[in-house]
């Protein structure tokens, strides 16, 4: 079992920045691929970014490429999402998720953190 707790959300003006953090419980964080997803009101949850266990070759949704950066610190059991040049369309609840090495889907999810972008 992995428990995930996100933080760092808040209200920011368009063009501003926020950094989200997600802390995982347990001692096997380094074995999980980690991802960020988001869900806006009335919309389905969508993929934002993911980073493999090694930390190399992260992957991004086209809508955030060049503006968001995902990173991880395995020593701190933490994954980050640095969000720059925020747009009103980035406003959503952001979720952290963990995928086991033998899994084809994300198995564990955090409770989410709200990001609000004012225009």
């Amino acid at each position: 079992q992995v428990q995930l707790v996100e933080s760092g959300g808040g209200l920011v003006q368009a063009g501003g920045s926020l950094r989200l953090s997600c802390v995982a419980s347990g001692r096997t964080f380094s074995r999980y691929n980690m991802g960020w997803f988001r869900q806006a009101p009335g919309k389905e949850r969508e993929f934002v970014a993911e980073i493999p266990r090694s930390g190399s070759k992260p992957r991004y949704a086209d809508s955030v490429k060049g503006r968001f950066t995902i990173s991880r610190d395995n020593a701190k059991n933490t994954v980050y999402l640095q969000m720059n040049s925020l747009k009103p369309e980035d406003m959503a609840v952001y979720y952290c998720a963990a995928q086991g090495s033998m899994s084809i889907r994300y198995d564990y999810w955090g409770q989410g953190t709200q990001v609000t972008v004012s225009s």
Side-chain angles (χ1 to χ4, degrees):
Q1 280 281 355
V2 176
Q3 291 186 328
L4 305 172
V5 179
E6 303 98 333
S7 62
L11 173 63
V12 63
Q13 286 188 331
S17 298
L18 281 175
R19 188 176 82 155
L20 305 183
S21 300
C22 172
V23 179
S25 64
R27 294 176 288 181
T28 59
F29 176 76
S30 62
R31 299 180 185 178
Y32 291 89
N33 300 323
M34 299 299 296
W36 286 97
F37 295 77
R38 67 187 182 186
Q39 187 168 20
K43 295 186 177 181
E44 293 188 355
R45 186 168 59 195
E46 64 175 0
F47 166 79
V48 175
E50 65 181 2
I51 187 167
R53 290 169 289 166
S54 65
S56 64
K57 298 183 180 180
R59 189 169 70 90
Y60 299 92
D62 288 343
S63 58
V64 307
K65 207 172 288 184
R67 300 187 297 121
F68 290 11
T69 302
I70 188 171
S71 61
R72 66 190 295 162
D73 185 337
N74 287 344
K76 295 183 178 180
N77 281 14
T78 302
V79 61
Y80 304 97
L81 186 68
Q82 177 66 44
M83 305 186 295
N84 298 329
S85 302
L86 282 161
K87 305 175 181 180
E89 51 263 43
D90 294 319
M91 184 163 59
V93 177
Y94 282 71
Y95 297 92
C96 169
Q99 179 188 43
S101 59
M102 301 300 291
S103 179
I104 60 173
R105 64 179 185 181
Y106 280 87
D107 304 299
Y108 304 101
W109 295 83
Q111 82 290 348
T113 185
Q114 176 71 48
V115 171
T116 302
V117 183
S118 63
S119 56

